[in-house]
Amino acid sequence: MIKMTLRSLWIPLCALLLLNACKKDSTLQLNQVALTLTLANPPELTDAKVSVLKVTFKEINSGKETVSTNVKDQKMNISLSEGSYDVSLEGTVEYKLNGETRSRKVGALKQGLVLTGTQHEENLAMFTVLEGKGFVIQEIFFTGTQTAQNKPYTGDKYFVIFNNSAETLYADGLVIAQSDFLTTQKRAYTPDVMSQAVAVGAVIRIPGSGKDHPVLPGKSIVIADDGINHKEFNPVSVDLTKANFEIFTPNREDIDNPQVQNMENVYSRMVFHDRGFTSYVLAHFPDGTDDFLTNQKYDYSYSLLVNGVVYPMDQEEYKIPNSWIIDAVNLSVQSEFQWIVTDPSLDMGWTFCGKIASDKTRYGKSVRRKILSTTTEGRVILKDTNNSSLDFDAEAIPSLK
Amino acid sequence: MLKQLKVFIVIMIAGIGFSHASDTTMVDSLALLKRVREYHAPVTQFTDGFYSNPALKYYARNSSLTELNAGYNANKQGRYELQQGNGGQRFGFNTEAFLKHKGKDALWGSAAYSNGKRKNVRWNESSDYAIVAPYVMADTVGGDLAYEEYSFSGGYGILFGKTTLGITGKYRALLEYRDIDPRPKNIVSDLEIEIGASRALNQKYQLAMGLSARKYSQENIMKFYSPLGTPMVYHMTGLGTDNKLIAGNKLENYYTGSGYSFQLQLAPKDKIGLFSTLEYRDFSVEKTTQIVLQVLPMSELKSKLWKGELAYLLGDQERQYGVKLAAGNEQRSGTEAKFDNRGQDNIVQIASSKNYLNEQSEFRLTGIYNVQKEKAVSWQLLADIGYTADRTEYVDPARSMDFAAISGGLNVGLSSLMGKSLVQASVGAMLSKNTNATRSWSDLNTSSAVYRMLENNYAYHISDYQQLNLSARWDYPLKNGMGISLKSSYSYTSFDSKYTGNQFLLTGGITF
């Protein structure tokens, strides 16, 4: 009786156990989506045809990058796993101008392409890349430094503007503006003007009548937050007494070194975002600051969602038309990045110091534009492909250190 | 919460002592040392797993015993898994009691408190790694983690003719923290209730069935006090991968787990004959991460565990010998959410996929020869040989790790009455030899911190090692059926010429 019970109980149970132990679990799953990407040529080019092209798909959860160069009839077919993708395109197109075949660099950017299900079709509009041959932003030191007491030290931040051309240029009237929008906070701002202009929250201008501040080819000027020797207060900081200009805000607790010429405050107060959530543009106002202040107001609205309640918000700022912008640099951090706050034709990437908000490793680091080449005369040419991700060295040692 | 637990434990210990003391008329008839010998005999531990069902607990012991111990434990290892730390130290006290009213019922309980430190914990700021891995919050800083752990259990089994019914409840609370940046503060609560019923098949054998339900939670919150900011905090997803979108400073996690198990046993009342047990455990843990105004469902880890043991023990009251075959398999699979933050609604879940799989299997054959004398020297010989295998896969990026080992050991124990004292000692040796070792994480840069972490852990898992175990226990009876005990054990592990491990334990207590 007992033997019968044991057999009836144990044989099937042990078999079940062993079967389970030996079973290979093949249930790991990665759903694939068949993506068809249709490329649209820049509208200003006639009879354009892609000649060289590389599209990078970066899945933002895994960080995995998939690169494809297979384009046929302006279409790319690729299989990708489900996810959210930042899609960037670099390439060259051939087009006709006055009967001649010419080529032009093109770019495209699509952020947050969500792929789910089995199939997806998407259009990607290409734009022409106008590589800078004039002034460019060479360096932004926006993080400040760290004291021996492990406290943040501010006031030692700066911009470096570089003459990337072969001619002497004049910095008079050059404008540096800080974006009003954060790269870490995407909202539906209405009206949406990003394809025509950059919304700005602070604007400063280099004074001068037009020929007061020549900058030789391959040379640069420094615009300091406070143009003093910060090493006297923090030995690991920088000496900015030789800066060409400093940012000074009257009626505030701000340092004014009379030996360093002040920038003009055009709009609001320029305060570097020390975590690098704002972007910066270099521009020239064709009709002066009064025209800018009169005609470029940007009143926008957006919805603020708090605890499930939507609050309509209105704000008044300024915008700088894209056509006035000479150079643009988007800044962000990996953990918080949501979007670039310029049109991709100005800058389709972003650079950084630190990888998270309040990253303690960011202090004493800057973003510096890479060197593309040096001429036989020794003139340095900086890289400017309107993609800060590629053009800049992130987390670099500040040049004035 | 923890203060209430402390009070509860104190009350419970007092309660056990009181109830046992009131039962002295029964237990005085048995010499204390004889009962201690029964409880700590290797042959008892050899068969204990077959009596874990609360309906069989009654048959696990022939006598009643209560033990109250306080002890210190320290260990350090040269080879180790970074997420678990390289050792630690612990001070604690515990009490265990088993009260048997023959032919009627049995009552048992335990309570324990530990205060200790886990040292050099890296790439893991969550607690209970074995339960929540690989979905831990991590950083590259790490450090020592202090902890306080409370646990207690209690159960009751009662006989109704040929039927025995039993119930057991277990609760564990853990507080783990660090006082310097990064400062995790983890609070764990783990509750399991098990019920069982057994039926006498004949005069010798009991057939039992048990069911249990488990509820688990962990609050895993980290803070930084540095005015300069924070280091990168990762939300790991298996074999060194992490969710890049959630990485940064999202520091508030919650693990919620629940599960059930069933078990089936066939065991002899007199512990001689055929023993068998089969157990299935199903448990899942969901991890959520709290960010401003949002709760993100990060992952769900599902564990399915089968375990079976079959043993046959021959002999009589003075001599037993037998073998035990054990087999087990656990599959842990993880499903992870994918998010998008490029829209205007902060972070939105857009998809999920089963990316992670870990499978562990073990087969072990153990033999025992036990000679149990009343007054002369008793001795035991235990030998075992086993095979363990572990396989981990991650699907995107494709990474994998496989390793397996054959291990075996020999343990000799002596037990003797020396005057009024009972002295028990054992010496054992164990060898483990790796038989399979492959890994693939070719997408990683060899200079990256993640690569170094994976390589370190892999080296630990595939290490051959030899281990020497020594232990000794001394019991001395006092008046009124009470006694004192002192126990010490030492373990030395040699991984290879460079890495060793040491573990030391010293406890003292009273028995009655």
Side-chain angles (χ1 to χ4, degrees), chain B residues 138-363:
Chain B
D139 56 62
T140 53
V141 183
D144 297 351
L145 276 169
Y147 68 85
E148 285 186 66
E149 188 171 44
Y150 306 81
S151 63
F152 54 91
S153 67
Y156 181 67
I158 185 166
L159 275 59
F160 294 103
K162 286 185 169 184
T163 302
T164 310
L165 301 177
I167 184 167
T168 295
K170 299 175 195 167
Y171 182 75
R172 178 175 66 95
L174 171 69
L175 168 66
E176 201 159 27
Y177 59 94
R178 188 185 295 119
D179 286 333
I180 56 169
D181 285 357
R183 300 165 192 259
K185 185 178 177 186
N186 307 332
I187 299 171
V188 170
S189 169
D190 195 355
L191 173 70
E192 185 168 12
I193 305 283
E194 184 177 0
I195 55 170
S198 76
R199 177 83 179 164
L201 295 176
N202 51 32
Q203 290 298 313
K204 186 174 179 65
Y205 285 100
Q206 289 279 328
L207 180 67
M209 193 179 81
L211 293 169
S212 78
R214 183 180 178 190
K215 187 77 183 158
Y216 176 86
S217 71
Q218 182 183 159
E219 189 181 292
N220 175 207
I221 296 172
M222 193 148 71
K223 288 181 178 167
F224 292 91
Y225 289 179
S226 168
L228 294 172
T230 65
M232 179 73 99
V233 173
Y234 304 95
H235 293 267
M236 306 306 289
T237 50
L239 287 178
T241 58
D242 73 296
N243 188 311
K244 303 280 188 290
L245 187 62
I246 308 301
N249 41 18
K250 296 169 183 69
L251 308 175
E252 201 171 317
N253 303 293
Y254 298 90
Y255 298 90
T256 310
S258 61
Y260 65 91
S261 76
F262 74 82
Q263 49 182 296
L264 210 56
Q265 281 100 2
L266 183 80
K269 293 177 189 175
D270 59 356
K271 295 192 171 182
I272 293 290
L274 181 72
F275 302 75
S276 63
T277 179
L278 186 73
E279 182 180 3
Y280 174 73
R281 285 190 168 269
D282 192 297
F283 186 65
S284 63
V285 185
E286 189 181 342
K287 177 189 173 189
T288 55
T289 297
Q290 172 95 43
I291 58 173
V292 181
L293 305 177
Q294 275 191 286
V295 177
L296 305 177
M298 298 289 292
S299 60
E300 186 182 22
L301 185 74
K302 287 186 176 175
S303 162
K304 295 179 189 303
L305 181 146
W306 283 97
K307 198 166 71 176
E309 291 186 13
L310 193 63
Y312 202 87
L313 208 57
L314 294 165
D316 51 32
Q317 288 298 311
E318 285 203 342
R319 181 166 38 186
Q320 304 93 33
Y321 52 94
V323 293
K324 178 166 69 176
L325 177 67
N329 174 272
E330 183 180 13
Q331 288 193 357
R332 304 171 79 242
S333 60
T335 301
E336 296 153 20
K338 285 186 177 177
F339 302 97
D340 174 56
N341 77 335
R342 304 300 197 242
Q344 284 137 27
D345 299 316
N346 295 323
I347 298 177
V348 180
Q349 184 181 350
I350 54 168
S352 63
S353 57
K354 191 185 278 188
N355 285 348
Y356 173 82
L357 181 70
N358 171 248
E359 183 178 2
Q360 299 165 39
S361 302
E362 178 168 16
F363 301 90

Side-chain angles (χ1 to χ4, degrees), chain A residues 233-249:
Chain A
F233 307 99
N234 182 17
V236 298
S237 186
V238 291
D239 180 1
L240 293 178
T241 53
K242 292 186 173 57
N244 301 81
F245 303 95
E246 70 171 348
I247 302 164
F248 175 67
T249 309

Side-chain angles (χ1 to χ4, degrees), chain A residues 6 10 20 82 84 86 338, chain B residues 266 276 338 340-342:
Chain A
L6 287 174
W10 275 102
N20 185 70
E82 283 188 323
S84 175
D86 285 344
Q338 281 192 274
Chain B
L266 183 80
S276 63
K338 285 186 177 177
D340 174 56
N341 77 335
R342 304 300 197 242

Side-chain angles (χ1 to χ4, degrees), chain B residues 17-28 64 99-101:
Chain B
F18 176 78
S19 58
H20 195 175
S22 67
D23 203 31
T24 48
T25 50
M26 184 186 74
V27 296
D28 275 352
S64 301
L99 254 69
K100 183 167 181 173
H101 302 105

Side-chain angles (χ1 to χ4, degrees), chain A residues 315-329:
Chain A
Q315 196 146 333
E316 296 175 359
E317 296 290 352
Y318 281 85
K319 59 183 167 59
I320 299 177
N322 290 346
S323 59
W324 296 3
I325 290 172
I326 301 165
D327 193 22
V329 179

